[in-house]
Amino acid sequence: MRKGEIITAGILALLSIYLMWKSTELPVGYITGQGPGGGAWPFWLSAMMLICCGMIALNWWRGTSPPSQSDEPVLDAYGWRMLVMVGGGIVGFVALVNIISMYGAIAVFLLYYVKYLGRHGWGLSLALALITPVAFFFFFEGAMRITMPTGMAFTDPVFNVLYEIIY
Amino acid sequence: MEIFALLIDGMLVALQPLNLTMIVIGVSVGLLIGAMPGLGSVNGVAILLPVTFLVPPGSAIIFLAAIYYGAMYGGAISSITLGIPGASTAVATTFDGRPLAKQGRASLALVTAALASFVGGTVANVLFTLFAPALASVALSFGPPEVFALMLLAFATFVGLGGDDIPKTIFSICFGLVLGSVGFDQISGAPRLVLFEMNGFLQGIGFLVLAIGVYGIGEMLWTIEQSRGEVTKTTPKMTVKGMASDAKEATKRGWKGTIIGSFLGFFVGVLPAAGATPGSLMSYGVAKMVSRKPESFGQGNPDGVAAPEAANNSASTGSMLPMLTLGIPGSPTTAILLGGMVIWGLVPGPRLFVDETEFVWGLIGSFYVSNMAAVLINLAFIPLFIWMLRMPFTVLAPMIFVLSIVGGYAATRDMFDIWLMVVFGIGAFFLRKFDYPLAPAVLAIVLGPIAEPTLRQSLLLSSGDPSIFFTRPVAGPITVIALILIFLPALKLLRRKRKVA
């Protein structure tokens, strides 16, 4: 944790510098008759972020923050596995949206999570994976008139049938 | 006395069968919309506006106002049960509502939210009835320095009373403010902070993208990692007796927050362009400030649920005030309501109270009836919300992820934002590991778009002289209190060092 805290502070300091630099694309000073320039607000806030990172590093060096006193790893084997399986699952879910539609991605993600990670039976897993996207479809597209991504062309026949029902 | 006679007439209008039906349907729909992450009162009122063409104008506006009411109640449901704020107005409810749910006290949180919302709504209705025109003129006298001072106070409460690592809290606030400024410069209209030259940033980063990322994805990753995959179910069974005892406890432990939220929320709601979100966040901060145990906030203090919930209901009524009396919408939802009224040929402004007496008082009467209907419907559905929490965690967790993604998309209609949400979620998970408080960032991204223009306008007014925040009679004291709060941790540290010496 100790090493992780200073590395995080370092990354955030770099982010602050990048934001300061990016803010200078617009004026960061006071323009007579116009008030503060468009970049002033994010520039000075990013500068404050950088100062905060310095203070976080100082506290780390003095060992006053709890993470700087801890010898535990940031993530143990379970933590990394969880991050890869769950976090990776979410990334996969979002990546699938533009291929098999939002509803298709929901079905695949639920099946993956409930069956593979949750170790539930096929009955519950399939029921959730099928009922949830259908219910969401009728709520969002039918009741709320919010159109979700329909994915690539091969999903069209399914959506044609569903749109037929609601319109 | 005349006001009471008019109010009674108004209530009779609201209680007519058609209007009462519209209220019950509106409140129920609003409750559902408010509870759905990504959807809020703005979406609900906007989507259902065309439906109102089927009924007379008075009933139509009563229906839309009932949706607004219901959504304010509903926002607390997902904040408490899922830990995802349904709308920006319910962000502060998450801070203590979610810890209470995790402790198996979701019913206490939900009952507290319902009762506080009811009291907040009732107080606001009474204030609205009595002081409508007078309060509207006071609110109008608030200039940019006063509004910026209020924003500063909201941030200062997090620094002075947060109890967290101060540099990390300030970092979090600044980070949220910077994220809120991505997109276009509001004054010059020039593109600003288009990070990594990705065009997706041109439209800015919405509050929901950060809030759902942090609370929906980050929080769930954190829970899964901390619980080592074995989440123990602590949610008790829901009984009528249990709810009665929760109501008793909510009254005992949440009264202070309810009172603060009811009055502060109403006043902030009246301010043009402020609305229910700053009202609920400020009420949370003030409730924490006056509490004898400020450190218990964020750990599951019912006052922390009561204050924002009373405030967002109170503010929603308050925001109707400038809309009806002056034609100035106090929130995005009232802007749509205003549009609805104009469609119906009702011109908001001082003349409305004279020319359309029956409509105005019918609407005011409907506020009281909607408030009562909302609390009853909400309380009746609490067992259902509790049941949701009794689902196995391996079913609940993926459902929350799905709701987060779908709700996020419904709100922004942009896949870029969904990817950003995932990045924020994973980033929030790591930042939390190193004790970075994330709530201030969410607060900042909400208030940033109000804070920046008011700061710039104030400095323009004073030709760049920051003393404008100290010399004006209302802004001055607020700024001084905010600065005291910001320097409070340093003062405390100095005192402690002196004692040790």
Side-chain angles (χ1 to χ4, degrees):
Chain A
M1 286 293 257
R2 189 171 155 73
K3 213 185 273 178
E5 187 179 36
I6 195 66
I7 291 172
T8 309
I11 293 169
L12 294 175
L14 287 176
L15 177 70
S16 309
I17 294 168
Y18 170 72
L19 290 168
M20 281 174 77
W21 170 73
K22 201 75 189 145
S23 305
T24 56
E25 288 177 351
L26 294 179
V28 296
Y30 188 87
I31 307 164
T32 313
Q34 288 179 39
W41 175 258
F43 178 84
W44 294 107
L45 286 167
S46 307
M48 279 168 72
M49 281 165 58
L50 187 63
I51 294 168
C52 288
C53 289
M55 288 166 75
I56 293 164
L58 183 70
N59 285 344
W60 171 85
W61 181 68
R62 290 162 62 199
T64 51
S65 67
S68 66
Q69 297 162 355
S70 168
D71 293 328
E72 283 177 26
V74 178
L75 282 173
D76 58 10
Y78 172 83
W80 281 115
R81 208 175 64 235
M82 180 281 307
L83 195 68
V84 171
M85 303 285 248
V86 181
I90 297 166
V91 171
F93 171 15
V94 181
L96 280 175
V97 170
N98 283 332
I99 303 169
I100 55 170
S101 82
M102 178 66 87
Y103 305 102
I106 292 173
V108 172
F109 176 73
L110 284 177
L111 197 63
Y112 161 76
Y113 203 113
V114 179
K115 178 71 195 124
Y116 180 65
L117 296 183
R119 297 178 196 284
H120 289 281
W122 276 109
L124 177 71
S125 307
L126 279 172
L128 277 171
L130 294 175
I131 294 169
T132 312
V134 172
F136 274 32
F137 176 85
F138 285 108
F139 178 75
F140 282 102
E141 314 262 342
M144 305 302 296
R145 305 280 162 187
I146 294 172
T147 312
M148 295 280 166
T150 51
M152 294 167 88
F154 68 87
T155 64
D156 287 354
V158 181
F159 280 99
N160 289 342
V161 174
L162 289 168
Y163 284 129
E164 221 28 44
I165 299 169
I166 56 170
Y167 291 115
Chain B
M1 284 309 283
E2 196 198 356
I3 286 177
F4 290 107
L6 288 165
L7 182 64
I8 288 167
D9 285 345
M11 280 204 185
L12 291 175
V13 171
L15 288 168
Q16 285 169 4
L18 174 66
N19 290 341
L20 193 60
T21 310
M22 297 311 280
I23 286 172
V24 173
I25 297 173
V27 163
S28 307
V29 171
L31 205 65
L32 183 71
I33 287 170
M36 192 69 122
L39 298 178
S41 56
V42 188
N43 307 61
V45 173
I47 293 160
L48 293 165
L49 187 65
V51 177
T52 59
F53 296 134
L54 303 169
V55 291
S59 306
I61 304 299
I62 284 173
F63 176 64
L64 297 177
I67 295 172
Y68 192 13
Y69 248 108
M72 286 299 143
Y73 274 80
I77 297 164
S78 55
S79 285
I80 293 166
T81 55
L82 307 176
I84 312 169
S88 60
T89 51
V91 170
T93 312
T94 315
F95 302 160
D96 282 273
R98 184 63 181 151
L100 273 172
K102 278 185 172 172
Q103 292 158 21
R105 310 225 57 198
S107 72
L108 172 64
L110 288 163
V111 169
T112 306
L115 295 181
S117 296
F118 176 70
V119 175
T122 307
V123 168
N125 288 338
V126 173
L127 293 174
F128 191 107
T129 310
L130 297 176
F131 306 112
L135 270 167
S137 63
V138 171
L140 269 187
S141 71
F142 264 52
E146 284 74 23
V147 177
F148 180 75
L150 275 176
M151 299 296 122
L152 192 66
L153 183 64
F155 298 129
T157 53
F158 270 89
V159 180
L161 307 157
D164 297 306
D165 191 322
I166 301 300
K168 287 175 183 169
T169 306
I170 298 175
F171 180 91
S172 185
I173 292 172
C174 295
F175 187 51
L177 289 171
V178 173
L179 288 182
S181 68
V182 168
F184 284 94
D185 172 23
Q186 288 183 36
I187 293 182
S188 68
R192 181 169 68 175
L193 287 180
V194 183
L195 306 176
F196 312 106
E197 309 308 327
M198 293 166 92
N199 286 340
F201 285 110
L202 274 172
Q203 61 197 350
I205 299 170
F207 135 80
L208 267 171
V209 174
L210 183 68
I212 298 183
V214 168
Y215 293 107
I217 296 173
E219 172 84 17
M220 288 310 292
L221 288 175
W222 174 263
T223 308
I224 295 166
E225 200 250 346
Q226 292 295 303
S227 61
R228 321 301 292 171
E230 289 170 15
V231 177
T232 46
K233 278 190 277 177
T234 49
T235 312
K237 272 189 177 168
M238 197 64 230
T239 59
V240 175
K241 201 178 160 190
M243 267 176 76
S245 105
D246 284 335
K248 213 170 153 187
E249 192 177 342
T251 315
K252 205 173 152 189
R253 295 179 63 195
W255 65 270
K256 219 188 270 178
T258 306
I259 291 172
I260 291 166
S262 302
F263 288 93
L264 184 62
F266 182 75
F267 188 66
V268 176
V270 171
L271 297 175
T277 305
S280 64
L281 289 162
M282 275 178 209
S283 300
Y284 182 85
V286 175
K288 191 176 179 180
M289 190 160 67
V290 300
S291 171
R292 282 186 189 164
K293 289 181 184 170
E295 69 283 355
S296 67
F297 276 70
Q299 312 291 323
N301 187 329
D303 246 353
V305 175
E309 278 307 305
N312 65 29
N313 268 63
S314 187
S316 62
T317 304
S319 66
M320 300 240 197
L321 200 148
M323 179 197 81
L324 283 177
T325 54
L326 303 160
I328 300 167
S331 68
T333 314
T334 48
I336 299 169
L337 272 172
L338 184 87
M341 285 175 68
V342 173
I343 291 170
W344 281 109
L346 298 159
V347 183
R351 292 294 310 166
L352 191 73
F353 281 77
V354 183
D355 299 337
E356 301 286 350
T357 314
E358 191 185 322
F359 164 75
V360 168
W361 286 99
L363 183 63
I364 295 173
S366 85
F367 293 167
Y368 289 86
V369 181
S370 294
N371 198 29
M372 181 58 84
V375 74
L376 292 177
I377 294 170
N378 197 2
L379 286 172
F381 278 111
I382 284 178
L384 178 75
F385 309 140
I386 299 293
W387 172 81
M388 271 166 51
L389 283 174
R390 295 172 63 79
M391 270 194 248
F393 190 70
T394 42
V395 171
L396 192 63
M399 292 302 275
I400 293 174
F401 287 131
V402 166
L403 263 179
S404 299
I405 305 280
V406 179
Y409 186 85
T412 67
R413 322 268 170 107
D414 189 348
M415 282 310 290
F416 180 79
D417 281 340
I418 304 305
W419 281 113
L420 214 53
M421 215 163 78
V422 174
V423 171
F424 283 140
I426 295 172
F429 167 75
F430 279 107
L431 287 180
R432 217 178 144 178
K433 282 249 150 204
F434 301 109
D435 292 342
Y436 284 81
L438 298 165
V442 178
L443 163 91
I445 202 169
V446 174
L447 299 187
I450 304 173
E452 189 199 351
T454 50
L455 173 72
R456 288 171 76 174
Q457 285 159 8
S458 306
L459 290 175
L460 191 59
L461 276 175
S462 66
S463 307
D465 182 3
S467 69
I468 191 169
F469 298 111
F470 297 95
T471 49
R472 292 181 49 129
V474 178
I478 301 175
T479 310
V480 170
I481 295 169
L483 289 179
I484 290 172
L485 279 172
I486 289 171
F487 290 106
L488 196 65
L491 291 173
K492 274 185 191 167
L493 195 73
L494 272 176
R495 258 180 67 182
R496 218 178 297 152
K497 275 191 177 169
R498 266 190 200 164
K499 264 187 189 172
V500 173

